[in-house]
PDB file of all heavy atoms in Angstrom:
ATOM      1  N   LEU B 100      85.622  97.783 123.436  1.00 89.00           N
ATOM      2  CA  LEU B 100      85.826  98.588 124.624  1.00 89.00           C
ATOM      3  C   LEU B 100      84.633  99.051 125.354  1.00 89.00           C
ATOM      4  O   LEU B 100      84.447  98.890 126.536  1.00 89.00           O
ATOM      5  CB  LEU B 100      86.636  99.867 124.324  1.00 89.00           C
ATOM      6  CG  LEU B 100      86.935 100.826 125.484  1.00 89.00           C
ATOM      7  CD1 LEU B 100      87.792 100.144 126.538  1.00 89.00           C
ATOM      8  CD2 LEU B 100      87.665 102.075 124.981  1.00 89.00           C
ATOM      9  N   TRP B 101      83.634  99.441 124.462  1.00 89.00           N
ATOM     10  CA  TRP B 101      82.289  99.811 125.134  1.00 89.00           C
ATOM     11  C   TRP B 101      81.550  98.680 125.732  1.00 89.00           C
ATOM     12  O   TRP B 101      80.929  98.777 126.817  1.00 89.00           O
ATOM     13  CB  TRP B 101      81.373 100.411 123.955  1.00 89.00           C
ATOM     14  CG  TRP B 101      79.957 100.596 124.386  1.00 89.00           C
ATOM     15  CD1 TRP B 101      79.571 101.482 125.415  1.00 89.00           C
ATOM     16  CD2 TRP B 101      78.828 100.050 123.882  1.00 89.00           C
ATOM     17  NE1 TRP B 101      78.201 101.412 125.662  1.00 89.00           N
ATOM     18  CE2 TRP B 101      77.683 100.473 124.537  1.00 89.00           C
ATOM     19  CE3 TRP B 101      78.558  99.122 122.795  1.00 89.00           C
ATOM     20  CZ2 TRP B 101      76.362 100.150 124.315  1.00 89.00           C
ATOM     21  CZ3 TRP B 101      77.273  98.631 122.600  1.00 89.00           C
ATOM     22  CH2 TRP B 101      76.221  99.133 123.279  1.00 89.00           C
ATOM     23  N   GLN B 102      81.539  97.503 125.136  1.00 88.00           N
ATOM     24  CA  GLN B 102      80.847  96.311 125.688  1.00 88.00           C
ATOM     25  C   GLN B 102      81.465  95.865 126.943  1.00 88.00           C
ATOM     26  O   GLN B 102      80.798  95.466 127.848  1.00 88.00           O
ATOM     27  CB  GLN B 102      80.818  95.277 124.622  1.00 88.00           C
ATOM     28  CG  GLN B 102      79.760  95.388 123.456  1.00 88.00           C
ATOM     29  CD  GLN B 102      79.663  94.251 122.556  1.00 88.00           C
ATOM     30  OE1 GLN B 102      80.090  93.195 122.861  1.00 88.00           O
ATOM     31  NE2 GLN B 102      79.014  94.523 121.370  1.00 88.00           N
ATOM     32  N   LEU B 103      82.839  95.911 126.982  1.00 85.00           N
ATOM     33  CA  LEU B 103      83.537  95.508 128.253  1.00 85.00           C
ATOM     34  C   LEU B 103      83.295  96.481 129.288  1.00 85.00           C
ATOM     35  O   LEU B 103      82.929  96.103 130.422  1.00 85.00           O
ATOM     36  CB  LEU B 103      84.967  95.513 127.943  1.00 85.00           C
ATOM     37  CG  LEU B 103      85.917  95.264 129.164  1.00 85.00           C
ATOM     38  CD1 LEU B 103      85.661  93.887 129.839  1.00 85.00           C
ATOM     39  CD2 LEU B 103      87.477  95.329 128.758  1.00 85.00           C
ATOM     40  N   ALA B 104      83.296  97.786 129.041  1.00 85.00           N
ATOM     41  CA  ALA B 104      82.770  98.872 130.073  1.00 85.00           C
ATOM     42  C   ALA B 104      81.467  98.644 130.504  1.00 85.00           C
ATOM     43  O   ALA B 104      81.166  98.851 131.631  1.00 85.00           O
ATOM     44  CB  ALA B 104      83.128 100.191 129.476  1.00 85.00           C
ATOM     45  N   ASP B 105      80.567  98.255 129.648  1.00 85.00           N
ATOM     46  CA  ASP B 105      79.247  98.162 129.986  1.00 85.00           C
ATOM     47  C   ASP B 105      78.945  96.989 130.875  1.00 85.00           C
ATOM     48  O   ASP B 105      78.118  97.054 131.684  1.00 85.00           O
ATOM     49  CB  ASP B 105      78.227  98.194 128.741  1.00 85.00           C
ATOM     50  CG  ASP B 105      76.845  98.146 129.009  1.00 85.00           C
ATOM     51  OD1 ASP B 105      76.415  99.258 129.439  1.00 85.00           O
ATOM     52  OD2 ASP B 105      76.079  97.218 128.697  1.00 85.00           O
ATOM     53  N   ARG B 106      79.698  95.949 130.654  1.00 83.00           N
ATOM     54  CA  ARG B 106      79.648  94.766 131.456  1.00 83.00           C
ATOM     55  C   ARG B 106      80.100  95.098 132.862  1.00 83.00           C
ATOM     56  O   ARG B 106      79.550  94.577 133.887  1.00 83.00           O
ATOM     57  CB  ARG B 106      80.353  93.526 130.877  1.00 83.00           C
ATOM     58  CG  ARG B 106      79.745  92.933 129.794  1.00 83.00           C
ATOM     59  CD  ARG B 106      80.389  91.560 129.336  1.00 83.00           C
ATOM     60  NE  ARG B 106      81.685  91.620 129.176  1.00 83.00           N
ATOM     61  CZ  ARG B 106      82.285  91.798 127.936  1.00 83.00           C
ATOM     62  NH1 ARG B 106      81.452  91.992 126.960  1.00 83.00           N
ATOM     63  NH2 ARG B 106      83.561  91.761 127.848  1.00 83.00           N
ATOM     64  N   LEU B 107      81.276  95.806 132.955  1.00 79.00           N
ATOM     65  CA  LEU B 107      81.885  96.049 134.234  1.00 79.00           C
ATOM     66  C   LEU B 107      81.252  97.173 135.056  1.00 79.00           C
ATOM     67  O   LEU B 107      81.196  97.236 136.316  1.00 79.00           O
ATOM     68  CB  LEU B 107      83.447  96.285 134.108  1.00 79.00           C
ATOM     69  CG  LEU B 107      84.222  95.171 133.495  1.00 79.00           C
ATOM     70  CD1 LEU B 107      85.668  95.474 133.302  1.00 79.00           C
ATOM     71  CD2 LEU B 107      84.083  93.834 134.327  1.00 79.00           C
ATOM     72  N   TYR B 108      80.830  98.191 134.268  1.00 79.00           N
ATOM     73  CA  TYR B 108      80.199  99.198 134.876  1.00 79.00           C
ATOM     74  C   TYR B 108      78.862  99.654 134.269  1.00 79.00           C
ATOM     75  O   TYR B 108      78.697 100.557 133.440  1.00 79.00           O
ATOM     76  CB  TYR B 108      80.986 100.559 134.781  1.00 79.00           C
ATOM     77  CG  TYR B 108      82.512 100.329 135.081  1.00 79.00           C
ATOM     78  CD1 TYR B 108      83.428 100.512 133.953  1.00 79.00           C
ATOM     79  CD2 TYR B 108      82.951  99.921 136.167  1.00 79.00           C
ATOM     80  CE1 TYR B 108      84.768 100.328 134.133  1.00 79.00           C
ATOM     81  CE2 TYR B 108      84.281  99.622 136.491  1.00 79.00           C
ATOM     82  CZ  TYR B 108      85.168  99.925 135.467  1.00 79.00           C
ATOM     83  OH  TYR B 108      86.581  99.680 135.645  1.00 79.00           O
ATOM     84  N   PRO B 109      77.863  98.795 134.508  1.00 83.00           N
ATOM     85  CA  PRO B 109      76.551  98.807 133.905  1.00 83.00           C
ATOM     86  C   PRO B 109      75.898 100.238 133.935  1.00 83.00           C
ATOM     87  O   PRO B 109      75.613 100.788 135.005  1.00 83.00           O
ATOM     88  CB  PRO B 109      75.654  97.765 134.559  1.00 83.00           C
ATOM     89  CG  PRO B 109      76.643  96.732 135.177  1.00 83.00           C
ATOM     90  CD  PRO B 109      77.787  97.673 135.570  1.00 83.00           C
ATOM     91  N   GLY B 110      75.507 100.764 132.705  1.00 78.00           N
ATOM     92  CA  GLY B 110      74.898 102.102 132.694  1.00 78.00           C
ATOM     93  C   GLY B 110      75.686 103.203 132.904  1.00 78.00           C
ATOM     94  O   GLY B 110      75.227 104.325 132.790  1.00 78.00           O
ATOM     95  N   ALA B 111      76.989 103.033 133.206  1.00 78.00           N
ATOM     96  CA  ALA B 111      77.820 104.150 133.567  1.00 78.00           C
ATOM     97  C   ALA B 111      78.405 104.806 132.343  1.00 78.00           C
ATOM     98  O   ALA B 111      78.823 106.028 132.363  1.00 78.00           O
ATOM     99  CB  ALA B 111      78.929 103.805 134.553  1.00 78.00           C
ATOM    100  N   VAL B 112      78.610 104.067 131.224  1.00 81.00           N
ATOM    101  CA  VAL B 112      79.357 104.426 130.141  1.00 81.00           C
ATOM    102  C   VAL B 112      78.549 104.250 128.861  1.00 81.00           C
ATOM    103  O   VAL B 112      78.087 103.144 128.690  1.00 81.00           O
ATOM    104  CB  VAL B 112      80.666 103.813 129.893  1.00 81.00           C
ATOM    105  CG1 VAL B 112      81.430 104.300 128.731  1.00 81.00           C
ATOM    106  CG2 VAL B 112      81.504 103.922 131.182  1.00 81.00           C
ATOM    107  N   THR B 113      78.322 105.255 128.154  1.00 86.00           N
ATOM    108  CA  THR B 113      77.626 105.146 126.826  1.00 86.00           C
ATOM    109  C   THR B 113      78.492 105.007 125.716  1.00 86.00           C
ATOM    110  O   THR B 113      79.616 105.283 125.651  1.00 86.00           O
ATOM    111  CB  THR B 113      76.656 106.358 126.775  1.00 86.00           C
ATOM    112  OG1 THR B 113      77.401 107.548 126.432  1.00 86.00           O
ATOM    113  CG2 THR B 113      75.622 106.628 127.818  1.00 86.00           C
ATOM    114  N   LEU B 114      77.840 104.554 124.617  1.00 86.00           N
ATOM    115  CA  LEU B 114      78.711 104.335 123.365  1.00 86.00           C
ATOM    116  C   LEU B 114      79.242 105.726 122.862  1.00 86.00           C
ATOM    117  O   LEU B 114      80.307 105.791 122.409  1.00 86.00           O
ATOM    118  CB  LEU B 114      77.799 103.721 122.304  1.00 86.00           C
ATOM    119  CG  LEU B 114      78.614 103.381 120.936  1.00 86.00           C
ATOM    120  CD1 LEU B 114      79.811 102.588 121.123  1.00 86.00           C
ATOM    121  CD2 LEU B 114      77.627 102.745 119.884  1.00 86.00           C
ATOM    122  N   THR B 115      78.475 106.726 122.871  1.00 86.00           N
ATOM    123  CA  THR B 115      78.853 108.009 122.434  1.00 86.00           C
ATOM    124  C   THR B 115      80.021 108.592 123.231  1.00 86.00           C
ATOM    125  O   THR B 115      80.980 109.176 122.811  1.00 86.00           O
ATOM    126  CB  THR B 115      77.668 109.045 122.499  1.00 86.00           C
ATOM    127  OG1 THR B 115      76.695 108.538 121.590  1.00 86.00           O
ATOM    128  CG2 THR B 115      78.070 110.390 121.983  1.00 86.00           C
ATOM    129  N   SER B 116      79.962 108.335 124.566  1.00 86.00           N
ATOM    130  CA  SER B 116      81.077 108.858 125.459  1.00 86.00           C
ATOM    131  C   SER B 116      82.334 108.142 125.194  1.00 86.00           C
ATOM    132  O   SER B 116      83.407 108.710 125.190  1.00 86.00           O
ATOM    133  CB  SER B 116      80.635 108.776 126.877  1.00 86.00           C
ATOM    134  OG  SER B 116      80.374 107.394 127.253  1.00 86.00           O
ATOM    135  N   VAL B 117      82.216 106.824 124.907  1.00 87.00           N
ATOM    136  CA  VAL B 117      83.388 106.040 124.557  1.00 87.00           C
ATOM    137  C   VAL B 117      84.043 106.479 123.275  1.00 87.00           C
ATOM    138  O   VAL B 117      85.271 106.641 123.139  1.00 87.00           O
ATOM    139  CB  VAL B 117      83.115 104.447 124.460  1.00 87.00           C
ATOM    140  CG1 VAL B 117      84.184 103.684 123.966  1.00 87.00           C
ATOM    141  CG2 VAL B 117      82.738 104.009 125.833  1.00 87.00           C
ATOM    142  N   CYS B 118      83.162 106.796 122.273  1.00 85.00           N
ATOM    143  CA  CYS B 118      83.598 107.241 121.057  1.00 85.00           C
ATOM    144  C   CYS B 118      84.312 108.615 121.159  1.00 85.00           C
ATOM    145  O   CYS B 118      85.470 108.845 120.545  1.00 85.00           O
ATOM    146  CB  CYS B 118      82.583 107.379 119.969  1.00 85.00           C
ATOM    147  SG  CYS B 118      81.856 105.821 119.448  1.00 85.00           S
ATOM    148  N   LEU B 119      83.755 109.489 121.936  1.00 84.00           N
ATOM    149  CA  LEU B 119      84.426 110.774 122.176  1.00 84.00           C
ATOM    150  C   LEU B 119      85.685 110.599 122.894  1.00 84.00           C
ATOM    151  O   LEU B 119      86.687 111.407 122.539  1.00 84.00           O
ATOM    152  CB  LEU B 119      83.469 111.655 122.886  1.00 84.00           C
ATOM    153  CG  LEU B 119      82.169 112.150 122.168  1.00 84.00           C
ATOM    154  CD1 LEU B 119      81.258 112.869 123.162  1.00 84.00           C
ATOM    155  CD2 LEU B 119      82.557 112.970 120.871  1.00 84.00           C
ATOM    156  N   LEU B 120      85.792 109.874 123.966  1.00 85.00           N
ATOM    157  CA  LEU B 120      86.931 109.814 124.793  1.00 85.00           C
ATOM    158  C   LEU B 120      88.083 109.157 123.939  1.00 85.00           C
ATOM    159  O   LEU B 120      89.368 109.494 124.277  1.00 85.00           O
ATOM    160  CB  LEU B 120      86.731 108.845 125.975  1.00 85.00           C
ATOM    161  CG  LEU B 120      85.829 109.410 127.107  1.00 85.00           C
ATOM    162  CD1 LEU B 120      85.374 108.306 128.167  1.00 85.00           C
ATOM    163  CD2 LEU B 120      86.581 110.541 127.793  1.00 85.00           C
ATOM    164  N   VAL B 121      87.808 108.242 123.035  1.00 86.00           N
ATOM    165  CA  VAL B 121      88.916 107.563 122.281  1.00 86.00           C
ATOM    166  C   VAL B 121      89.227 108.277 121.048  1.00 86.00           C
ATOM    167  O   VAL B 121      90.424 108.500 120.707  1.00 86.00           O
ATOM    168  CB  VAL B 121      88.415 106.139 121.817  1.00 86.00           C
ATOM    169  CG1 VAL B 121      89.494 105.555 120.946  1.00 86.00           C
ATOM    170  CG2 VAL B 121      88.268 105.291 123.124  1.00 86.00           C
ATOM    171  N   VAL B 122      88.206 108.858 120.267  1.00 82.00           N
ATOM    172  CA  VAL B 122      88.522 109.456 118.955  1.00 82.00           C
ATOM    173  C   VAL B 122      89.066 110.804 119.050  1.00 82.00           C
ATOM    174  O   VAL B 122      90.043 111.209 118.264  1.00 82.00           O
ATOM    175  CB  VAL B 122      87.272 109.376 118.140  1.00 82.00           C
ATOM    176  CG1 VAL B 122      87.462 110.007 116.757  1.00 82.00           C
ATOM    177  CG2 VAL B 122      86.807 107.849 117.839  1.00 82.00           C
ATOM    178  N   LEU B 123      88.532 111.687 119.881  1.00 80.00           N
ATOM    179  CA  LEU B 123      88.922 113.069 120.038  1.00 80.00           C
ATOM    180  C   LEU B 123      90.423 113.231 120.254  1.00 80.00           C
ATOM    181  O   LEU B 123      91.120 114.079 119.748  1.00 80.00           O
ATOM    182  CB  LEU B 123      88.110 113.758 120.942  1.00 80.00           C
ATOM    183  CG  LEU B 123      86.615 114.072 120.514  1.00 80.00           C
ATOM    184  CD1 LEU B 123      85.878 114.946 121.535  1.00 80.00           C
ATOM    185  CD2 LEU B 123      86.623 114.827 119.203  1.00 80.00           C
ATOM    186  N   PRO B 124      90.978 112.451 121.259  1.00 82.00           N
ATOM    187  CA  PRO B 124      92.418 112.554 121.513  1.00 82.00           C
ATOM    188  C   PRO B 124      93.341 112.254 120.315  1.00 82.00           C
ATOM    189  O   PRO B 124      94.432 112.633 120.381  1.00 82.00           O
ATOM    190  CB  PRO B 124      92.774 111.613 122.576  1.00 82.00           C
ATOM    191  CG  PRO B 124      91.397 111.461 123.359  1.00 82.00           C
ATOM    192  CD  PRO B 124      90.382 111.568 122.256  1.00 82.00           C
ATOM    193  N   VAL B 125      92.733 111.564 119.337  1.00 79.00           N
ATOM    194  CA  VAL B 125      93.575 111.355 118.077  1.00 79.00           C
ATOM    195  C   VAL B 125      93.995 112.582 117.407  1.00 79.00           C
ATOM    196  O   VAL B 125      94.988 112.530 116.728  1.00 79.00           O
ATOM    197  CB  VAL B 125      92.731 110.361 117.086  1.00 79.00           C
ATOM    198  CG1 VAL B 125      93.419 110.187 115.882  1.00 79.00           C
ATOM    199  CG2 VAL B 125      92.507 109.033 117.798  1.00 79.00           C
ATOM    200  N   VAL B 126      93.215 113.687 117.620  1.00 74.00           N
ATOM    201  CA  VAL B 126      93.654 114.902 116.973  1.00 74.00           C
ATOM    202  C   VAL B 126      95.046 115.345 117.670  1.00 74.00           C
ATOM    203  O   VAL B 126      95.844 115.928 116.825  1.00 74.00           O
ATOM    204  CB  VAL B 126      92.589 115.949 117.413  1.00 74.00           C
ATOM    205  CG1 VAL B 126      92.949 117.341 116.743  1.00 74.00           C
ATOM    206  CG2 VAL B 126      91.210 115.554 116.705  1.00 74.00           C
ATOM    207  N   TYR B 127      95.152 115.161 118.906  1.00 76.00           N
ATOM    208  CA  TYR B 127      96.436 115.459 119.418  1.00 76.00           C
ATOM    209  C   TYR B 127      97.701 114.576 118.894  1.00 76.00           C
ATOM    210  O   TYR B 127      98.690 115.048 118.745  1.00 76.00           O
ATOM    211  CB  TYR B 127      96.504 115.344 121.081  1.00 76.00           C
ATOM    212  CG  TYR B 127      97.833 115.266 121.640  1.00 76.00           C
ATOM    213  CD1 TYR B 127      98.571 116.572 121.749  1.00 76.00           C
ATOM    214  CD2 TYR B 127      98.374 114.112 122.197  1.00 76.00           C
ATOM    215  CE1 TYR B 127      99.811 116.561 122.395  1.00 76.00           C
ATOM    216  CE2 TYR B 127      99.595 114.161 122.749  1.00 76.00           C
ATOM    217  CZ  TYR B 127     100.316 115.322 122.826  1.00 76.00           C
ATOM    218  OH  TYR B 127     101.508 115.345 123.370  1.00 76.00           O
TER     219      TYR B 127
END
Side-chain angles (χ1 to χ4, degrees):
L100 177 61
W101 169 62
Q102 290 187 9
L103 175 62
D105 190 59
R106 286 195 302 269
L107 298 179
Y108 318 118
V112 182
T113 65
L114 178 59
T115 300
S116 62
V117 168
C118 291
L119 290 176
L120 286 172
V121 173
V122 176
L123 289 183
V125 173
V126 178
Y127 167 74

